[in-house]
Amino acid sequence: SLGAVTLEDAAMASFFQEFFGTARARGAVACFDPNVRRPMIRGGFESYRARVERFVGLVDIAKASDEDVRALYGDHIELASIAGEWLDRGARLVLLTRGAQGATAFF
């Protein structure tokens, strides 16, 4: 799982962006979980969200918790709307988890 620590480091983010792009181009199934940890995001949520959205376009499966999505897009965001945006960006399957309330798959 790549998350805040990895994406906050520009060199690591660049490496993994290239890695995921190459892996997917060669037929591998790639999965990404942004694993947002608010205290670890130093560069601001707008730039972090942009990186997450780039990665979503490089993977087959994007998994995020409702907390991840709200940290990135705000507390009043519609989860299904973000799932639709991530599908439009290139993910083939979006899994959104909601703790004890379970998970929803979008495809």
Side-chain angles (χ1 to χ4, degrees), residues 29-93:
V29 174
C31 180
F32 172 63
D33 178 351
N35 198 23
V36 177
R37 298 296 177 259
R38 288 179 192 247
M40 300 177 89
I41 298 174
R42 300 176 310 270
F45 277 91
E46 286 186 30
S47 63
Y48 185 75
R49 181 176 51 240
R51 284 186 176 163
V52 167
E53 290 172 346
R54 281 193 298 276
F55 272 84
V56 166
L58 297 172
V59 299
D60 300 288
I61 303 166
K63 180 267 175 199
S65 70
D66 55 347
E67 292 177 4
D68 292 338
V69 172
R70 288 190 176 96
L72 292 169
Y73 296 96
D75 290 330
H76 302 294
I77 194 70
E78 183 67 35
L79 296 177
S81 172
I82 296 304
E85 287 182 26
W86 287 9
L87 290 168
D88 289 344
R89 291 184 182 280
R92 296 178 185 161
L93 173 66

Side-chain angles (χ1 to χ4, degrees), residues 2-22 32 42 47-56 58-59:
L2 297 177
V5 174
T6 304
L7 293 183
E8 274 293 293
D9 182 273
M12 288 183 93
S14 177
F15 169 80
F16 280 108
Q17 187 170 341
E18 183 178 337
F19 176 77
F20 276 166
T22 300
F32 172 63
R42 300 176 310 270
S47 63
Y48 185 75
R49 181 176 51 240
R51 284 186 176 163
V52 167
E53 290 172 346
R54 281 193 298 276
F55 272 84
V56 166
L58 297 172
V59 299

